[in-house]
Amino acid sequence: MSEKKSFYVTTPLYYANDELHIGHAFSTLAADILSRYQRAMGRDVYFLTGSDEHGQKVEQAAKARGLTPLEHTDKLVEKFKSLWELLDISNDDFIRTTEDRHKKVVVHALNQLWEKGDIYEADYSGWYCTPCERFWTEKEVPEKICPDCKRSVQELSEKSYFFKMSAYQQKLIDHINANPGFIRPENRKNEVLGFLRQPLGDLCISRPKARLSWGIDLPFAPDYVTYVWFDALTNYISAIGYPFDMEKFNRLWPASCHIVGKDILTTHAVYWTTMLMALDLQLPQCIFAHGWWVTGEGKMSKSLGNIINPRELVARYGLDPFRFYLFREMVFGMDATYTEDNFVLRYNADLANDYGNLCQRTLPLLIKNREGIFHKKQPALPQSLEIAQMATQIKADYVEAMENFLFHDALKHIWTLVQRLNKYVDETAPWKLAKEQNFEVLDEVFYTIGEGIRFCTHLVEPFMPHLAPEFLKQIGCAEQRVSLSDLAWGQLPDGTSCTEPTPMFPRLETERIQNLKKGGKPAAEDGKKEKAAAPVKSEVNEDGLISFDDFLKTELCIARIETAEKVEKADKLLKLTVNIGSETRTLVAGIADFYKPEEIIGRQVVMVKNLKPAKIRGIVSHGMILAAATEDGGLALVSPDKLAQTGIRVK
Ligand code: MSP
């Protein structure tokens, strides 16, 4: 992505008018993951975030709290910083638009453009929305209602200062067309090009002090302040020394990537880029606009009471699962819906069952049978060879995804390997090899597993900076780390000794979640330093027997069949909706040869509740009902012999 020596990545500057929610945390986490990945690839990274502190909203929020604007933003900035600390954000700098180092650069830029004639004075009239701090044209507000906040707008005409944005329209279109990776993803690029098909107006950059005093004075018009975008966007160059420390500036500029949400793409892709053109500065290499996190009720907003607080989630589930979830669930660039149920499903499936369990089920066997030591063997089993080759390909796919900001794809690739490794454990059954004392093969199998854990852990580290080192410690190679760029299969040294694993991702059972929601002990002790819970016994027994604890992992419950219908073009399948007390599930069951839909509606059956959802004939089936073959070749559904409570656990 970047040919420059340095990789300079930025987040938006967050408005210092309110606390931050998961949407804001997401922009910063994306920049953090990117920074950690780039550092691990050996690049010199500079990661900037900060706060946007001027403007009417901030002024109003301060007034409401009986504080001066700066007292108000000082307090909020502390909260922002403490959130970034909690989320372990690895930024190199935090810029506040109220700092002198920033304000003097804004003044410098304003003077430059004023002298050049790119800022001019004119009358501005339009319909003004006070809460949104913006003018609308007559056409845009036929009902005199702000299209954004739906409050009424007032007609205003005043002397203003304008930036000649229109002068750069064609140059910008040409730049976008000549640089395919400049605005990403592709659909957002097309949106910007669509916007640029209309004649671009000039940008009003001033507010009279009579209406807004909380801003940066225009050096050529003392009764005016510059407002919002001209001030805030300049942070990307003011923080890195422009124009007073050009050595630093030249080392870092142009930015490798501005990460922004889709709502502020135009301001970045059009206002900012034309400002840079006017200042004769290079354009950033990439502007990436990600989508929004919404909840079941739509957009997160205080008035709807549906704000998701990142601190709560970290306290409840631990920092790394939180980071993982956000980036596994959202296709970077698209919107995603947050629900806690979905969080728990992903946690249990991907973290507890797949990644965590890979260590839990194998390392105790290594300790028991080979004194915890990995003996390096050349792969001889076809599956070991396959995994070695697969890992090399997975790394290449992962790098390709990360270089293109496809975080969800990068995680998907890692999990393909994690799941293949779990399957390999099932296929090779190391407990059997140990019983047979087939140590040659057993060592090969353990080496493949240990190497697989090490390999996946290095790849996942930018997403899970706390637990990855713990995983490496468990397999005994915390000291022999390699950089991501050098990571290759087979680097786990011969004779590496593992330690007794502690569960990193304790499974979230329904009762446990209720307890966590009530403020019980979280999965991790605190968000920053995740501590693993007490060790649990190995889940695999050499005789194929499982412990009672393991049995309890399968959640069986009583389900009541509410509806049943045939699945089109699938003779054997019925689509059922079942009531399990707390929710209604859809599932597909292969029972159509034995039961007619009307025969089973209203019946109570036993269902496996915590099975991963699967798509069957295009239907997402979430759960499995139990049945047994009858002596005459039929099928009998398993049901309670008396009426039981719907949804209750079967144990
Ligand atoms: N201050 C401006 C940005 C100036 S950049 C020089 C601003 N601030 S903001 O606090 O309102 O938003 C900051 C970022 O948070 C934006 O990228 C925005 O898209 C992101 N998010 C706010 N809510 C969000 C979600 N619900 N989901 C994902 N990101 C969203 O705009």
Side-chain angles (χ1 to χ4, degrees), residues 261-540:
K262 63 178 185 181
D263 53 316
I264 54 172
L265 175 62
T266 311
T267 48
H268 281 76
V270 180
Y271 301 4
W272 177 227
T273 47
T274 50
M275 278 165 65
L276 286 167
M277 284 173 176
L279 289 168
D280 287 322
L281 294 174
Q282 288 185 67
L283 302 196
Q285 292 179 327
C286 170
I287 301 172
F288 194 105
H290 63 72
W292 271 44
W293 279 99
V294 295
T295 66
E297 299 100 57
K299 199 172 158 178
M300 269 185 266
S301 88
K302 247 193 174 168
S303 53
L304 281 175
N306 61 352
I307 297 284
I308 313 286
N309 181 345
R311 291 176 196 271
E312 268 175 33
L313 290 186
V314 170
R316 205 173 290 159
Y317 301 114
L319 174 59
D320 284 11
F322 172 67
R323 292 174 62 117
F324 168 82
Y325 170 77
L326 292 184
F327 290 88
R328 179 63 190 84
E329 191 61 26
M330 181 187 263
V331 174
F332 201 57
M334 316 265 281
D335 288 349
T337 304
Y338 172 85
T339 70
E340 192 135 358
D341 282 354
N342 193 255
F343 188 119
V344 170
L345 271 179
R346 270 229 178 269
Y347 176 105
N348 280 342
D350 295 352
L351 300 180
N353 287 3
D354 288 346
Y355 188 30
N357 200 25
L358 185 59
C359 284
Q360 290 302 311
R361 65 193 296 219
T362 55
L363 298 187
L365 283 177
L366 180 67
I367 293 170
K368 185 168 170 201
N369 296 292
R370 302 301 284 152
E371 291 168 340
I373 295 183
F374 292 107
H375 298 279
K376 187 165 183 173
K377 295 280 168 208
Q378 283 315 312
L381 296 174
Q383 300 103 313
S384 313
L385 272 167
E386 179 210 324
I387 288 174
Q389 282 162 3
M390 181 180 179
T392 309
Q393 183 57 47
I394 292 249
K395 182 186 165 189
D397 294 343
Y398 163 92
V399 167
E400 163 98 21
M402 291 300 279
E403 295 287 328
N404 287 294
F405 313 97
L406 303 173
F407 302 122
H408 58 287
D409 272 347
L411 287 169
K412 237 197 255 171
H413 292 312
I414 304 172
W415 256 255
T416 306
L417 185 54
V418 171
Q419 281 159 1
R420 179 66 190 91
L421 286 161
N422 270 312
K423 196 164 155 234
Y424 176 79
V425 178
D426 299 338
E427 287 165 359
T428 55
W431 50 93
K432 273 198 204 141
L433 294 168
K435 208 168 181 184
E436 293 156 6
Q437 306 216 332
N438 188 350
F439 295 126
E440 190 60 25
V441 179
L442 185 62
D443 282 342
E444 176 187 330
V445 167
F446 277 132
Y447 187 82
T448 303
I449 295 165
E451 178 57 349
I453 295 170
R454 184 190 73 92
F455 204 88
C456 294
T457 302
H458 274 290
L459 299 182
V460 89
E461 190 159 19
F463 297 88
M464 297 198 195
H466 285 273
L467 293 184
E470 293 302 318
F471 273 99
L472 292 178
K473 236 187 252 165
Q474 291 193 353
I475 54 162
C477 59
E479 306 301 320
Q480 303 118 359
R481 293 168 141 270
V482 290
S483 74
L484 203 50
S485 48
D486 294 335
L487 180 69
W489 188 263
Q491 289 163 329
L492 178 68
D494 185 31
T496 302
S497 165
C498 81
T499 56
E500 181 74 42
T502 49
M504 307 289 181
F505 306 114
R507 228 192 123 70
L508 296 167
E509 308 295 349
T510 319
E511 297 90 294
R512 189 175 153 75
I513 299 162
Q514 297 304 340
N515 184 30
L516 290 172
K517 282 191 181 165
K518 278 188 231 133
K521 224 169 192 285
E525 301 288 310
D526 71 46
K528 183 113 171 87
K529 294 181 201 67
E530 289 182 82
K531 294 183 192 111
V536 290
K537 283 243 156 55
S538 158
E539 290 156 16
V540 178

Side-chain angles (χ1 to χ4, degrees), residues 213-225:
S213 57
W214 186 233
I216 299 175
D217 290 358
L218 286 193
F220 39 80
D223 293 340
Y224 287 79
V225 292

